[in-house]
Amino acid sequence: MSTFLGLPSSRHADLSVGHLAAPRDFPDAARDALRDSRLRRNLAHATSTIRAKRAAVVDEVPDWEALRAAGSAIKAEAMARLPELLEELERNVTARGGQVHWARDAAEANQTVLRLARAAGTPDAPVTEVVKVKSMATQEIGLNEALEAGGITPIETDLAELIVQLGHDQPSHILVPAIHRGRSEIREIFLREMADVDPGLTDDPRQLAEAARRYLRDKFLSARVAVSGANFAIAETGTLMVVESEGNGRMCLTLPQTLITVMGIEKVLPRWADLEVFLQLLPRSSTGERMNPYTSAWTGVTPGDGPQTVHLVLVDNGRTAALADELGRTALHCIRCSACLNVCPVYERTGGHAYGSVYPGPIGAVLTPLLTGLDGSSHNDSLPYASSLCGACFDACPVKIDIPALLVRLRAEHVERAAAARRVPTSEAVAMAAAAYVMADADRFARAGRAARLGRPLVRRGRVRLPVPPPLSGWTASRDVPTPPRETFREWWARTRGGAS
């Protein structure tokens, strides 16, 4: 199969496969989320706790900014050399007994994994279950649904992912998918979904973890196939790596006979030595820890030790299109640490479900539209507006992705595409055109300022006393309206300075 990495391809991810398509506009979903007081309380508690831990461990590192710069430089090099590095990775994985498969989109990736999982069984003993390590890539392509449709049950082994799966829910955070769930809700899910759970189970965290451990133990021991993601892939050695906190991932990576790793092509790093930077940046930025409790690396097949059949599925699914965009490719630097989510005032109040995509928060608001493209009318077009542009995400990003700049660029692209798709301009476009006309001339702007005083009686305590037509009604619905001053700035300047410049 030919690959065309780095070419200005327009092949974006298919919205009909996987979990990259927002089912409705972000403002509508966010409005519903804001009515859920328990959701906001859970999110505020979790994100504030993670922020405090992160700040403490980051302050311990005197060269933190130098580490961020190094991480950004390594990622920029990886994106610039991506075709070359992926071919090097394929050669080294193959040389060490692994098999590499290329998938242009989510459908191809799902078909490949399903075929490989079935091949691990026999006519007398087909594979009916696979255990999974937490993986954003498999969520992105909708692998669980594809496996179930093919008669294979996926078992999530990450505790938070297991809670989401048993709750028939969707993840709402990159690192803590069940961040929106409280302990009492988790207890109810376990009692309802786990067949042999103790009916006296309480919401004590230790008891909940023990119940999950007992549930998963049989799955680990009986599974013949495991599916994992990868945090990093090292081109020069063909090594794949997963970092995690619970050890369940290591069980998946070592016990089954067949291991299938599904990885986005942007996860490749040039050298083993690059891990020195990222294994410091990632745990501090994600969980506020100095290092991850479990760091598992594997290189091909070792006879008699661990999985004897190892596959790597490299997924494009819109990444080549993002790579062809000089600014957009910087979003592919993301190491999925979720630091930008934990500092975002919009995410903290709405949660991840409002974004619709598997990638929530500030990075999701740029990554999802870059992977799927903006067409001027899809619900994903609303995601770049899910930000206050306060810049906190840029300050927190360990690889210095300028998320606010990406958001502004995507907003401009959306406005241009939407305008081109309409014959009749929107009321907002008319209002902006009128504002541009007024502001383009100093005399017109001064006259408009004086005319605004006529509106003083119509504003009382930040609210307009008469019905306001669109698009102004949309603006005033959620904001206080400032009372126009008795005199304009120019008049005040002339009165107090005698007209001197």
Side-chain angles (χ1 to χ4, degrees), residues 13-25:
D14 184 352
L15 289 171
S16 65
V17 182
H19 297 287
L20 285 177
R24 54 182 177 156
D25 286 344

Side-chain angles (χ1 to χ4, degrees), residues 71-82 85 268 270-271 274 333:
S72 178
I74 294 169
K75 279 293 187 178
E77 178 194 355
M79 294 304 108
R81 299 174 53 206
L82 193 54
L85 293 176
V268 67
R271 299 160 293 267
D274 296 331
H333 296 186

Side-chain angles (χ1 to χ4, degrees), residues 189-210:
I189 291 171
F190 282 9
L191 287 173
R192 186 177 66 242
E193 300 291 335
M194 291 181 176
D196 299 325
V197 71
D198 181 358
L201 180 70
T202 71
D203 61 3
D204 176 64
R206 180 172 298 183
Q207 285 200 28
L208 294 173
E210 179 63 22

Side-chain angles (χ1 to χ4, degrees), residues 262-273:
V262 181
M263 187 189 86
I265 57 175
E266 81 280 14
K267 295 295 185 69
V268 67
L269 297 176
R271 299 160 293 267
W272 181 268

Side-chain angles (χ1 to χ4, degrees), residues 267-298:
K267 295 295 185 69
V268 67
L269 297 176
R271 299 160 293 267
W272 181 268
D274 296 331
L275 292 172
E276 175 189 355
V277 174
F278 291 103
L279 291 183
Q280 293 183 73
L281 289 173
L282 181 55
R284 283 180 165 83
S285 300
S286 56
T287 56
E289 297 172 298
R290 297 181 182 88
M291 64 182 295
N292 291 96
Y294 294 89
T295 300
S296 302
W298 65 101

Side-chain angles (χ1 to χ4, degrees), residues 284-344:
R284 283 180 165 83
S285 300
S286 56
T287 56
E289 297 172 298
R290 297 181 182 88
M291 64 182 295
N292 291 96
Y294 294 89
T295 300
S296 302
W298 65 101
T299 307
V301 176
T302 301
D305 184 14
Q308 296 302 291
T309 306
V310 172
H311 299 276
L312 171 61
V313 182
L314 292 168
V315 181
D316 186 316
N317 205 34
R319 286 163 175 79
T320 298
L323 187 70
D325 184 321
E326 188 174 355
L327 180 60
R329 68 170 56 180
T330 60
L332 299 178
H333 296 186
C334 177
I335 57 174
R336 311 288 191 269
C337 69
S338 76
C340 61
L341 277 68
N342 299 328
V343 298
C344 177

